[in-house]
Amino acid sequence: MSAQVVTPLFDISYDVGWIAALPKVCLHDHLDGAVRPETLIELAADIGHELPASDPASLERWFVESADSRSLERYLETFEHTVAVMQTASALTRVAKEYVLDAAADGIVYGEVRWAPEQHVRAGLDLDSVIEAVARGILLGEEAAADRGSTITVRQILCAMRQNNRSLDIAEAAVRHRDRGIVGFDLAGPEKGFPPTAHRDALDYCARHFLPVTLHAGEADGVASIREAVVDGRCLRLGHGVRILEDLTRRDRDADLADNVSRLPSSRDISLVPASSLYEMGEVASWVRDRRIVLEVCPCSNVQTDAAPRVGEVGTAQGTEDSPNHWARTYREHPVELLRGLEFAVTINPDNRLMSRTSMTHEFLKLAEEFGYEREDFFEITMTAANATFLPLKEQDEIVDRVVAGYSDSPVVG
């Protein structure tokens, strides 16, 4: 399988080769956040849309710098440019095809890419037309990847925007186009002020038609938002979900040990100081962990948007969103290792490749560099993702087999 080396957000000295070769399962990746800069420039020129930069390198830099704002709202503003050029069937097909090829080059053997059809009807297309265009691009991408020697399967999750009133339309379209590779439904956009209860009809429709649901929650809002996603949304997975850690209270007698959790070099070392002995867990966190509701964690994106609590602040009186030290500002401060130590069902994902200048390989690379992750760690994370896909069981088993076979074939470190 070919490997694409993606320009990292940080200086990296860790060997990328064996990580790039690992088979990966990606559950949280936005189509409109993964447009190639070169494609964006060409499509913008076709429709006369003005971009903030005219060459690929400068444009990519603009996206990363703009998205690195410590604000989800500012982060989301960057999508105006990508969405603007994705308003024709040909553009949607091209972007979808290129997405699949880039995912295959990233080592992904199975991916669920999400996007919001309602954002792509400005030029006169209807929901059915935009869904068919993306489905066509995905199929072309899978075929082109196969011609290049890569086996990849990509399915779609359709998003409805929380701030709009088209969620029932999107849910109905998702069910209507299941035969075009749609496997799930999501609510995206601003969390605060737009609860799942405002989209009850859509969520009820998904439940009646047994369409799996994953909801963005615990990214731009806290534990109450996660509770709503689980109770009112009946979600099987949480998009991000990292603020579930705000439902923890640190045991004072173990404060010194808790401070050291973020400095443990690997996931195996965290077992030497069991995280469960350091924290009291609230009912929402307990439910999410015990029911194995999967967290679609996106570390690079979380660091950009102040979405993840800094691991050293988790469970403390200072650990509130109003505290200046509350948010993880570096990959090292991200609580992904603590979440795994607490036995949450953690998966790793890019979220938006363009805005965060990342990929599955880059996220894995940072985990190796910052926390000493090795093959068994990546295998565990990938198997969690493989068993959390929205595929029917038989197809899910095929993805699991593909991951196992890929690990057997991939080179051993050293």
Side-chain angles (χ1 to χ4, degrees):
M1 182 176 295
S2 61
Q4 178 185 35
V5 178
V6 179
T7 305
L9 282 169
F10 313 97
D11 290 334
I12 294 174
S13 58
Y14 209 97
D15 177 22
V16 71
W18 68 275
I19 293 176
L22 295 177
K24 304 171 184 74
V25 174
C26 180
L27 302 181
H28 193 116
D29 214 358
H30 290 265
L31 183 63
D32 53 346
V35 185
R36 294 175 179 175
E38 299 86 353
T39 297
L40 186 54
I41 290 170
E42 292 177 17
L43 293 177
D46 289 343
I47 62 172
H49 177 78
E50 185 176 354
L51 294 172
S54 59
D55 67 276
S58 298
L59 185 60
E60 182 182 30
R61 185 165 54 252
W62 179 88
F63 270 99
V64 175
E65 291 173 353
S66 298
D68 195 16
S69 60
R70 310 299 176 195
S71 164
L72 181 61
E73 287 73 19
R74 276 284 310 280
Y75 186 94
L76 294 176
E77 288 174 6
T78 62
F79 288 85
E80 271 307 306
H81 293 292
T82 58
V83 170
V85 306
M86 296 168 64
Q87 297 298 325
T88 66
S90 59
L92 287 164
T93 297
R94 175 179 175 177
V95 169
K97 177 182 177 180
E98 291 177 351
Y99 170 83
V100 176
L101 290 173
D102 291 344
D106 193 21
I108 292 172
V109 297
Y110 176 78
E112 291 177 357
V113 63
R114 64 189 67 194
W115 61 292
E118 65 189 270
Q119 293 189 306
H120 302 276
V121 295
R122 300 175 186 173
L125 295 176
D126 58 23
L127 293 179
D128 294 321
S129 297
V130 298
I131 292 169
E132 290 164 4
V134 169
R136 185 162 54 251
I138 289 174
L139 179 60
L140 290 171
E142 290 175 341
E143 292 173 348
D147 290 341
R148 300 179 186 185
S150 297
T151 300
I152 182 172
T153 302
V154 175
R155 297 291 181 260
Q156 301 177 57
I157 293 173
L158 297 192
C159 300
M161 303 308 293
R162 285 176 177 257
Q163 70 273 31
N164 298 338
N165 61 0
R166 299 209 64 180
S167 56
L168 180 57
D169 293 339
I170 303 305
E172 290 174 343
V175 171
R176 190 163 63 246
H177 289 283
R178 271 180 154 167
D179 61 345
R180 295 185 180 274
I182 293 170
V183 294
F185 175 84
D186 179 26
L187 289 176
E191 273 183 75
K192 290 185 179 180
F194 302 97
T197 50
H199 303 278
R200 189 181 303 279
D201 289 346
L203 293 166
D204 287 347
Y205 188 86
C206 291
R208 287 198 303 272
H209 290 82
F210 299 102
L211 182 70
V213 170
T214 172
L215 299 182
H216 278 75
E219 180 191 19
D221 207 356
V223 177
S225 177
I226 296 174
R227 179 191 290 270
E228 292 167 349
V230 172
V231 175
D232 300 312
R234 289 159 286 193
C235 66
L236 301 177
R237 302 191 324 229
L238 287 164
H240 300 278
V242 287
R243 290 180 65 173
I244 193 69
L245 290 172
E246 294 175 7
D247 200 30
L248 270 62
T249 303
R250 186 185 294 177
R251 302 175 195 268
D252 290 340
R253 63 186 178 83
D254 291 319
D256 291 338
L257 287 177
D259 282 333
N260 289 329
V261 168
S262 64
R263 292 188 285 275
L264 292 172
S266 79
S267 59
R268 285 169 303 287
D269 293 320
I270 203 168
S271 65
L272 301 177
V273 185
S276 59
S277 72
L278 306 179
Y279 301 93
E280 294 282 356
M281 195 172 292
E283 62 178 3
V284 178
S286 294
W287 180 261
V288 170
R289 182 195 62 182
D290 297 346
R291 300 280 70 78
R292 309 302 291 163
I293 296 173
V294 169
L295 304 182
E296 302 164 354
V297 179
C298 310
C300 276
S301 172
N302 295 163
V303 169
Q304 285 181 304
T305 63
D306 277 355
R310 188 170 69 88
V311 68
E313 297 293 320
V314 171
T316 70
Q318 292 74 37
T320 66
E321 60 181 298
D322 296 326
S323 170
N325 296 320
H326 178 58
W327 304 111
R329 295 295 173 83
T330 67
Y331 213 102
R332 183 63 169 176
E333 293 175 343
H334 192 282
V336 58
E337 186 70 346
L338 178 58
L339 287 165
R340 290 189 68 212
L342 289 165
E343 299 184 274
F344 285 95
V346 173
T347 64
I348 299 296
N349 308 274
D351 197 15
N352 297 291
R353 294 162 179 268
L354 175 61
M355 289 72 177
S356 297
R357 196 188 289 161
T358 193
S359 64
M360 289 292 287
T361 296
H362 178 240
E363 298 286 347
F364 277 22
L365 187 63
K366 291 302 297 180
L367 291 171
E369 183 180 58
E370 299 293 348
F371 301 109
Y373 277 34
E374 297 179 0
R375 284 169 61 92
E376 55 264 42
D377 298 285
F378 295 126
F379 181 73
E380 178 184 311
I381 289 170
T382 304
M383 289 297 285
T384 297
N387 285 299
T389 71
F390 285 160
L391 292 171
L393 183 59
K394 181 179 179 181
E395 295 177 40
Q396 189 177 88
D397 287 344
E398 292 171 358
I399 300 303
V400 168
D401 291 343
R402 200 181 298 177
V403 170
V404 172
Y407 267 79
S408 298
D409 294 340
S410 63
V412 177
V413 185

